[in-house]
């Protein structure tokens, strides 16, 4: 069975953990989130447990206090963004990356620098596809 998608509230917690780069307790995550989100400490604990069940977070038990868990990232942000992007394209664009990209590009005014950056991304994609085809042959 496929794991559930990360909810917006869970994503906020993950942002804290991805930024920290080190394992954190739910209390530490809560403290780092204060002022930015309206979430109770209990809610943070519950959401971190759900993230663990989804195999996005792992944890170790504190060696001095077995009631304290230190949560660490199992899935990096890039992997989660790719999964979320793929699901978005599948859901709203029938799996067509071209239609999704066209819709996004038509929704924004891009600077010349941004257009250049996108051209470089497309060229890298073309190179990866060519390498992939070469390996299949």
């Amino acid at each position: 069975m496929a794991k559930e998608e990360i909810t917006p509230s869970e994503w906020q917690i993950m942002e804290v953990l991805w930024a920290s780069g080190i394992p954190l307790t739910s209390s530490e995550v809560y403290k780092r989130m204060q002022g930015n989100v309206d979430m109770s400490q209990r809610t943070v604990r519950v959401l971190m447990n759900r993230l663990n069940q989804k195999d996005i977070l792992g944890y170790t038990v504190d060696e001095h206090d077995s009631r304290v868990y230190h949560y660490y990232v199992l899935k990096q942000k890039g992997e989660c963004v790719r999964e979320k992007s793929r699901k978005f394209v599948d859901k709203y664009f029938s799996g067509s990356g071209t239609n999704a990209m066209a819709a996004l590009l038509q929704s924004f005014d891009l600077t010349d620098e941004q257009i250049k950056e996108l051209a470089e991304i497309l060229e890298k994609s073309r190179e990866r596809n060519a390498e992939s085809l070469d390996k299949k042959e």
Side-chain angles (χ1 to χ4, degrees), residues 57-76:
L57 289 182
Y59 68 87
T60 57
V61 178
D62 190 281
E63 60 187 50
H64 303 294
D65 186 346
S66 62
R67 298 171 297 169
V68 177
Y69 293 7
H70 299 271
Y71 290 89
Y72 56 90
V73 172
L74 292 174
K75 277 191 176 180
Q76 295 302 316

Side-chain angles (χ1 to χ4, degrees), residues 24-72:
L24 298 174
T25 65
S26 61
S27 295
E28 291 168 329
V29 170
Y30 175 75
K31 286 176 188 167
R32 292 181 185 207
M33 292 176 73
Q34 279 185 317
N36 297 325
V37 295
D38 187 25
M39 216 180 285
S40 72
Q41 191 165 351
R42 184 181 187 292
T43 301
V44 170
R45 275 195 317 272
V46 168
L47 293 175
M48 290 178 76
N49 185 47
R50 287 185 189 162
L51 287 162
N52 173 255
Q53 292 170 357
K54 293 178 183 182
D55 295 328
I56 297 166
L57 289 182
Y59 68 87
T60 57
V61 178
D62 190 281
E63 60 187 50
H64 303 294
D65 186 346
S66 62
R67 298 171 297 169
V68 177
Y69 293 7
H70 299 271
Y71 290 89
Y72 56 90

Side-chain angles (χ1 to χ4, degrees), residues 9-20:
S9 295
E10 292 168 344
W11 196 274
Q12 292 174 320
I13 289 168
M14 289 306 301
E15 287 287 359
V16 171
L17 287 155
W18 286 322
S20 79

Side-chain angles (χ1 to χ4, degrees), residues 126-137:
R126 178 181 288 131
E127 290 169 5
R128 276 194 317 272
N129 288 342
E131 288 173 12
S132 178
L133 288 174
D134 288 343
K135 289 179 183 178
K136 289 180 181 178
E137 294 177 354

